[in-house]
Amino acid sequence: MDNELKDPRRTEAVTPPTPTRLTSADVSVFCEGMAMMLAAGIQVDEALSLLDVRRGNARLSSVCDAAYRIVSNGQGLAAAMEQTKAFPRHAVDMVAIGERTGRLEQTLRRLMLYYDEESRVFSKVRTAVGYPAALLCVMAVIIAFTVWVVLPVFVDVYESLAGSLTAGSSASIAASIAIGWVALAVTIIGAALTVAAVIASRTPRGNASLIKLLERLPLTRNAMEKLALSRFALALSTYISSGVNDDVALSESIQTVEHPRIRARAELALQFMQDPERGLGLSAALAESNLMDALYSRMLIIGARTGSAENVLAGLGETFFNEATDSIDRVIDSVEPLLAALLTVAVGATLLAIMLPLIGIMGSIG
């Protein structure tokens, strides 16, 4: 009783907190800390009180304080997470299931892994667009210097020698100026778009939009499919480990995936499970729908037979993520020489065109 009077965060009335949306990394840290506290036998309210992250993350600290006040007034952790409006819907639903089934600690650990992987996904997406953005900005500066500083010097020299220039030389000068401005305009537009993508990738909504765009690009399409498959496998592993039945686990996991192909095949697997004539289990339905390669499907079937399907799914999620990041790294590695080649062609073509009349003039003088 005395502790309650001394603790300034215990209030009779809970004021609705200001919404502070947490990042995937924040949610992962929160779930990890809570799982560790619960494993040590600490109650939920005290765990929130002890989860001191003020020095490292003020945003997460304020959310923990708000959740602590709500839990101290007799509500559960899931209700507190929902009222703070800081957690994703998926995390709130999973914690609610964990509280109902008595597997809150296990659920929090699975959520920690899930949102850690999601944070790594968004980090890779930012890298995929950030690197080209930096190169394009450098290209824009170099081409702008060429167009605004170098070309006018040559143009002034040629204008002073206008009487000595042929019609072909004048056309060459005009073409070089046009090439320079076109290259500059294209580079500036590309840099602006990639910088805007980098800025958008700092928000959950911007990340989702950026991933949808990368899903349509030929170079990143396969990587985005692997990332979606990784997210689906980790979500399904989380639901199964929380104690829900396979039908509900698959149905809820589908809601976490927006990739059209992965979602369509997962929905087909759900239909196979719900079809009374087929009567397929989860692993067999996923294999029948061709959601993943035959080797991975076989691993999942064996895991289901041994009662470790959730562990196999978690391992597959990590495997798919690593495959996706390797693919993204290869794309990034191929972008650098491509942009360097474009820069060389743009600047080289501009300078070559402007130098041709000078070569002609020097030849006539000689």
Side-chain angles (χ1 to χ4, degrees):
M1 185 66 179
D2 292 336
N3 291 336
E4 292 184 6
L5 293 175
K6 291 180 181 179
D7 195 333
R9 292 181 296 181
R10 290 184 183 268
T11 57
E12 295 300 325
V14 179
T15 303
T18 303
T20 305
R21 194 72 175 178
L22 296 178
T23 65
S24 298
D26 293 335
V27 177
S28 178
V29 170
F30 174 85
C31 293
E32 181 182 17
M34 289 298 298
M36 292 174 61
M37 299 292 183
L38 294 177
I42 301 173
Q43 298 297 318
V44 172
D45 56 344
E46 292 302 321
L48 287 168
S49 176
L50 293 172
L51 195 58
D52 185 5
V53 291
R54 284 182 178 81
R55 289 175 294 178
N57 192 326
R59 177 177 59 244
L60 182 55
S61 178
S62 65
V63 171
C64 289
D65 286 343
Y68 174 83
R69 291 194 297 269
I70 297 170
V71 171
S72 296
N73 279 268
Q75 301 190 54
L77 179 60
M81 292 169 62
E82 182 175 15
Q83 291 182 42
T84 61
K85 301 184 185 302
F87 294 88
R89 183 76 253 172
H90 169 250
V92 175
D93 292 343
M94 290 302 306
V95 170
I97 293 172
E99 288 180 320
R100 289 199 303 269
T101 59
R103 299 185 179 185
L104 181 56
E105 180 194 338
Q106 296 90 328
T107 301
L108 286 169
R109 291 191 183 278
R110 288 292 181 181
L111 286 173
M112 174 198 71
L113 296 174
Y114 176 83
Y115 283 103
D116 181 60
E117 289 295 310
E118 186 173 89
S119 176
R120 291 170 62 193
V121 168
F122 291 153
S123 177
K124 275 296 178 182
V125 170
R126 286 192 291 270
T127 301
V129 297
Y131 190 66
L135 288 178
L136 284 170
C137 288
V138 172
M139 286 177 60
V141 171
I142 294 174
I143 296 177
F145 179 81
T146 303
V147 172
W148 284 331
V149 177
V150 177
L151 286 184
V153 173
F154 283 94
V155 171
D156 290 342
V157 172
Y158 291 150
E159 286 179 349
S160 65
L161 300 174
S164 303
L165 293 178
T166 64
S169 298
S170 299
S172 177
I173 295 173
S176 66
I177 295 174
I179 291 172
W181 280 106
V182 169
L184 178 61
V186 171
T187 306
I188 289 177
I189 292 173
L193 291 176
T194 52
V195 169
V198 171
I199 295 173
S201 68
R202 298 183 180 276
T203 64
R205 181 176 297 180
N207 268 317
S209 301
L210 192 56
I211 287 175
K212 287 182 179 179
L213 174 62
L214 294 176
E215 287 173 355
R216 297 183 176 90
L217 298 179
L219 290 177
T220 55
R221 185 180 302 154
N222 182 64
M224 292 301 105
E225 183 174 324
K226 290 292 185 181
L227 286 178
L229 193 55
S230 171
R231 185 174 188 177
F232 171 79
L234 289 169
L236 186 56
S237 172
T238 303
Y239 276 107
I240 293 175
S241 65
S242 298
V244 301
N245 63 61
D246 291 348
D247 287 36
V248 175
L250 181 56
S251 177
E252 293 297 329
S253 299
I254 291 173
Q255 304 308 314
T256 66
V257 179
E258 296 184 1
H259 191 282
R261 179 183 176 277
I262 301 300
R263 189 182 182 95
R265 292 186 180 275
E267 290 174 345
L268 180 61
L270 182 61
Q271 293 176 13
F272 290 158
M273 291 181 65
Q274 295 174 341
D275 187 349
E277 295 182 359
R278 288 177 175 267
L280 296 178
L282 175 62
S283 56
L286 292 174
E288 189 74 15
S289 66
N290 295 320
L291 179 66
M292 56 188 75
D293 293 342
L295 174 62
Y296 299 138
S297 298
R298 185 62 180 170
M299 291 172 58
L300 183 56
I301 291 173
I302 295 174
R305 290 175 181 173
T306 59
S308 58
E310 66 271 19
N311 295 328
V312 174
L313 283 167
L316 289 177
E318 180 71 17
T319 298
F320 295 143
F321 179 84
N322 291 335
E323 291 179 356
T325 54
D326 289 343
S327 179
I328 291 175
D329 288 339
R330 287 194 295 271
V331 171
I332 294 174
D333 291 341
S334 66
V335 164
E336 180 179 6
L338 177 62
L339 291 180
L342 291 175
L343 173 62
T344 302
V345 170
V347 176
T350 302
L351 293 179
L352 179 61
I354 202 70
M355 289 293 289
L356 287 177
L358 181 59
I359 295 173
I361 295 174
M362 296 300 293
S364 63
I365 293 176

